[in-house]
Amino acid sequence: MKVSTQNVPGEIADFCRRCGEELGKMDNDEACIRYTREMLPRLLLNKSLFTHLLEDALGGGGYPDMRRPTMFDNEVVLHVDSQGVFSLRMYLWGPGEFTAPHDHSSWGVIGSPSDGYEVINYRREDDGTREGHARIVPAERFLLKAGETAHTHAFDAGIHKTGNPTEGTILSLNMYGRPAPRGFVQGFDEKNQRVYKILPPKRKKEQLMKDALRLLKS
Ligand SMILES: [Fe+2]
C-alpha cells in the first residue's frame, strides 16, 4: 500500500528519497544504522516541520494518512520505501506511556524532536528453546535529548522498551530497515518470564476467526 504523496512536506520527501537511494546500496545493518543516525537528526531538529505535520494531520490534510492500518494505536506511517528498504513512522506518547519490552524484525533508529524519550535495552539470558519462555534483564537505559538517537537490532539482539517518562505528550520518529518475513513482533513479560506474539490487528482478527471457526465446526 502506498502512502499518498499529497501534502508530503518537502523535507520528508527529500529525506526519504535520499535514504532510499543510499540505504538501498548498503549490504549490512551496521552501515544502515550508521547512515541513518547521521541523517535522522536533520529531521528531528526541525521543530517547525513537526508543527506543520501535526497541524496538517489534525486539519485533515491527507498526509500523514491517519486511516492507514498500523500495528499500534499510537503509530502513524510517514513513508514506506517503494523498494521496501525502510519505513519511517511517527509514534505519539502521552505522559508516562511506555511499550512493553518487545523486539523488531529489522534494524531501527529512533529519536524525538523533544527532550525525554526513554529507551531501555534488554539482554535475553535464556537460549530460546522453551516455547513461550524468555528471561530478559535491563542492560542499558538512555534518556534522549531532542535530536539524539538510539538504535536497535533485529530479534533478540534488539529487545527494548521505549516511552515517555515526562509530564508532557511527545512524539518520536522511528526508522526501520527491511523487515525479515516474520509477520509479528514478540512481546516480553519480564516479571513472569514469558514471550508472546503481537500480531498486526488484521492478522489478529483473522487468527481469532480461524480459531473460532474451528470450534464452531467441531
Ligand atoms: Fe521498538
Side-chain angles (χ1 to χ4, degrees):
M1 194 194 304
K2 267 199 152 176
V3 174
S4 163
T5 50
Q6 211 184 7
N7 298 332
V8 181
E11 296 97 322
I12 291 185
D14 290 346
F15 174 88
C16 291
R17 188 171 48 247
R18 226 175 127 184
C19 288
E21 285 167 11
E22 295 303 320
L23 293 172
K25 295 179 207 159
M26 296 175 191
D27 60 359
N28 71 82
D29 289 2
E30 293 305 327
C32 292
I33 289 169
R34 209 177 311 122
Y35 177 78
T36 305
R37 291 192 78 171
E38 260 174 52
M39 291 289 284
L40 201 63
R42 297 178 195 195
L43 291 185
L44 294 173
L45 294 170
N46 186 347
K47 256 193 181 167
S48 69
L49 168 64
F50 292 100
T51 310
H52 289 130
L53 198 65
L54 296 180
E55 283 173 351
D56 282 356
L58 289 169
Y63 181 85
D65 181 1
M66 307 279 275
R67 293 163 309 171
R68 185 180 170 121
T70 53
M71 186 83 140
F72 303 102
D73 62 4
N74 66 334
E75 176 180 359
V76 179
V77 178
L78 297 183
H79 183 85
V80 177
D81 177 67
S82 59
Q83 304 303 308
V85 172
F86 75 94
S87 66
L88 183 65
R89 293 156 197 271
M90 176 169 73
Y91 293 83
L92 296 145
W93 308 94
E97 288 183 351
F98 279 81
T99 65
H102 61 277
D103 70 3
H104 288 270
S105 55
S106 70
W107 60 265
V109 174
I110 61 185
S112 173
S114 306
D115 290 342
Y117 183 40
E118 186 171 0
V119 180
I120 299 160
N121 291 329
Y122 290 82
R123 187 174 61 248
R124 183 167 183 174
E125 296 203 318
D126 67 299
D127 61 8
T129 53
R130 251 173 76 195
E131 178 77 24
H133 171 80
R135 197 172 63 250
I136 61 166
V137 291
E140 292 178 304
R141 175 179 172 272
F142 301 99
L143 196 58
L144 301 179
K145 289 205 161 20
E148 289 181 345
T149 60
H151 69 276
T152 187
H153 296 281
F155 308 125
D156 282 349
I159 300 168
H160 69 178
K161 160 180 174 170
T162 70
N164 174 18
T166 77
E167 289 177 359
T169 294
I170 64 172
L171 64 88
S172 68
L173 197 58
N174 299 26
M175 192 146 144
Y176 299 107
R178 186 189 297 281
R182 185 175 66 167
F184 60 88
V185 163
Q186 289 202 121
F188 294 84
D189 179 342
E190 181 186 351
K191 197 165 144 252
N192 295 305
Q193 303 193 344
R194 305 294 301 162
V195 54
Y196 54 94
K197 280 182 192 173
I198 305 170
L199 296 171
K202 182 166 174 277
R203 273 201 65 202
K204 182 176 176 178
K205 285 175 200 161
E206 286 168 353
Q207 185 61 53
L208 290 169
M209 281 179 183
K210 282 180 195 165
D211 295 345
L213 189 59
R214 203 176 308 123
L215 192 67
L216 281 170
K217 282 182 161 177
S218 65

